[in-house]
Structures are given as structure tokens and as C-alpha cells.
Amino acid sequence: MNANPLAALMQDRCLRTAAALKGSWSENAGANRKRVMAQHQVSDLWKDESYKLGVLIAAGPSLKESLAEIKALDRSKCEIVAVDMAYAFLVANGVIPDYVICADANPVIQRTLTADLPAGAKAPILLLNVAVDPATGADWDGDVYWFGMMSNFYDGDRKVWMQQDHERRSGCSSFLVPGGNVGSLGLSFLLGVRSSPKVVLYGHDFCWSADGDFYAGGLQKDLAAERITSERQAGTVFEVDDAQRQCRVLTNASLMDFAGWYRDRMREYPGVVENRTPVTIL
């Protein structure tokens, strides 16, 4: 029996989510096979060694406070990976990342990949999970590189490990290690594929102050409301101190679980991952 009620809750959620969605994930992996074969795999971006700083940008509400610092980065000495939810906000504020990463199989995530790039600007490289909806990223103007998610889920109905099922159906043999959210896949990409000697984090709040400002710039309000409402109905929204204890913030069970995964990685690799997010529970 798990002595940590929050950990037990999240484990149960993960199992129920996998059971409910495994069929659609598998179908999507098969439907994306032609695109995978015609495009690239994340392993094609492998570097044995790199001197460039890895910059991982998530979509926390404090991201607006970090824009000046991000813009001041020497782009010749760093690589920026943005999660899908942060992409449009960054472009609207003059920051074009090198990579955008997307893993959600929900068809609605497609709209987060739309941004008004300046005339003549090159689109970032899109990193796509093989289990996304087949329409996701289909009209992306730049290069697309595919990956599967490493998984220890065993599908008892089909008698196959989910990771192997997705590989066979999609033809993609490149994998990233997830930690519960899309940002964790970005960290896996920067450390495991691009060999970043150090990764700095922006927008990794794992918390919010006002319900209308859940995602950076107040974007995707309907998706934010859906997440907040489901957690409130489950009784898993909490008021806590931010890491600097400068203010009280709201968080939920999922965000606390994601932050815990990052915290474990920072303990395992001291000095390699640095959180520069101004308001955060990490």
C-alpha cells in the first residue's frame, strides 16, 4: 500500500488514463506511420557533445516576467525548447524557439502550434510524439522529428508493452523519457539527445495565482478552466507558499506531482538543471 496519498492518487490517475486512452494512442501511432517514414526521428538530432546551454520554456503564468531575460540570451550559445502551450506567447513577444515539443493526443492541442511568425522567419523544429492525433502538426511549415515515449505500461488486453506497440505501429524507434508532462520530455531531449551541459528552466511555475492566468499570457482559457475545474471537483487544488515564500499561490495534485519529478532530477544531477522561474513551487 502506498503511504503517500498524493502519490497513490496520481498512480491511480495514470493507470485509469492509460486504460481509457490506450486504444486511441495505438491507433494514432499507426495512423502517423506514413508521416514518420517520410520525415525524421528525434535520434537524428543526436549530439555526442555540446557546449550550448539548454533552455527549456514551459507555459507557466510567470513566463511574462522572464521575457527580458530570455531575450537577452546569446542565441549562438544556447538552444531553446518550448512546450506547445508556450509557443504562440513566445512568438508574439519576439522569441522564436529552436524547437517546439508536443506530446498530447487530444486533437485540440493542434491549435497551440499556430503562431504568427514574422515575415521570412524560419519555423522551429517540431518534436512530435507518435501518439498525437494525426492532424496535429500536419501543416507545420518547418521540419518535424518524431519520438515515442518510454513506458512501463503493459497492455494486458493486447499482451504487449505500450512502448513496443507504439514503435511497431509507427515505425519510430526513437524514445524520450517522460515525467508526467510535456516539459519533462523537453528535458529528456536536451540532456539525452542534445547533450546540453546545463539546462535552465523558465515558465516552470507548477502553480498559478488567478484562474484567468493559468497559462502564459492568459492563453487557452478554456483548456485552463477545464483543468482547474476537474481538479477542484476532485478536491485536489491547494493553496501553498511559492518556493521563495514571497507569496501564496494555488497548485493542484498533477502540478505537484510534475514538480516532484523535476525535483528528483535536480537532486540526481546537481548543478545541471537550474530553475530560473520567478514564481514557482519547484
Side-chain angles (χ1 to χ4, degrees):
M1 182 176 179
N2 196 324
N4 184 332
L6 180 59
L9 171 68
M10 294 310 301
Q11 183 180 47
D12 180 62
R13 279 188 184 179
C14 288
L15 291 172
R16 285 189 286 111
T17 298
L21 298 179
K22 64 181 182 180
S24 61
W25 292 343
S26 183
E27 290 173 7
N28 288 350
N32 286 322
R33 186 180 182 91
K34 288 185 179 179
R35 292 176 64 192
V36 172
M37 295 295 99
Q39 295 173 320
H40 313 279
Q41 297 191 26
V42 160
S43 57
D44 296 331
L45 295 168
W46 178 274
K47 293 186 72 173
D48 288 329
E49 187 177 6
S50 175
Y51 67 88
K52 289 189 175 183
L53 175 72
V55 180
L56 181 57
I57 302 179
S62 75
L63 181 57
K64 57 183 176 291
E65 300 176 34
S66 301
L67 286 170
E69 186 174 332
I70 293 170
K71 289 181 178 181
L73 293 169
D74 185 343
R75 294 299 295 270
S76 69
K77 296 181 180 179
C78 68
E79 290 189 316
I80 296 180
V81 176
V83 305
D84 41 24
M85 283 286 185
Y87 176 51
F89 178 75
L90 288 171
V91 171
N93 285 278
V95 178
I96 302 176
D98 300 292
Y99 304 92
V100 175
I101 188 164
C102 178
D104 199 326
N106 190 333
V108 77
I109 205 69
Q110 163 67 15
R111 72 190 198 208
T112 69
L113 300 179
T114 300
D116 295 324
L117 289 167
K122 183 179 179 181
I125 289 173
L126 178 61
L127 310 175
L128 268 186
N129 175 17
V130 297
V132 298
D133 184 87
T136 299
D139 57 353
W140 189 260
D141 287 335
D143 292 330
V144 178
Y145 287 75
W146 294 86
F147 65 89
M149 291 201 296
M150 287 188 176
S151 167
N152 61 353
F153 283 111
Y154 182 75
D155 186 343
D157 297 324
R158 299 182 182 183
K159 303 294 188 286
V160 65
W161 292 97
M162 194 174 294
Q163 172 181 325
Q164 294 174 338
D165 176 56
H166 292 183
E167 179 180 5
R168 291 168 186 166
R169 288 175 179 269
S170 68
C172 180
S173 57
S174 295
F175 294 93
L176 295 177
V177 179
N181 67 347
V182 66
S184 64
L185 292 161
L187 186 62
S188 174
F189 172 73
L190 284 168
L191 293 177
V193 178
R194 300 302 288 170
S195 298
S196 303
K198 182 173 182 176
V199 176
V200 296
L201 311 177
Y202 294 100
H204 284 67
D205 301 41
F206 302 108
C207 62
W208 74 98
S209 297
D211 286 1
D213 193 24
F214 184 83
Y215 291 122
L219 301 178
Q220 311 296 341
K221 290 184 184 297
D222 58 332
L223 300 182
E226 183 179 313
R227 286 194 62 182
I228 294 169
T229 299
S230 64
E231 291 276 2
R232 281 209 170 103
Q233 290 174 343
T236 50
V237 171
F238 313 102
E239 185 178 31
V240 298
D241 289 324
D242 85 319
Q244 288 80 31
R245 299 187 180 276
Q246 296 174 345
C247 62
R248 297 286 285 177
V249 294
L250 296 171
T251 189
N252 60 41
S254 298
L255 294 175
M256 292 174 71
D257 188 60
F258 301 157
W261 183 88
Y262 278 84
R263 201 172 292 116
D264 288 344
R265 304 294 80 73
M266 293 168 79
R267 279 196 293 262
E268 289 172 357
Y269 308 105
V272 175
V273 181
E274 176 188 344
N275 190 13
R276 294 184 181 177
T277 304
V279 179
T280 178
I281 65 168
L282 178 57

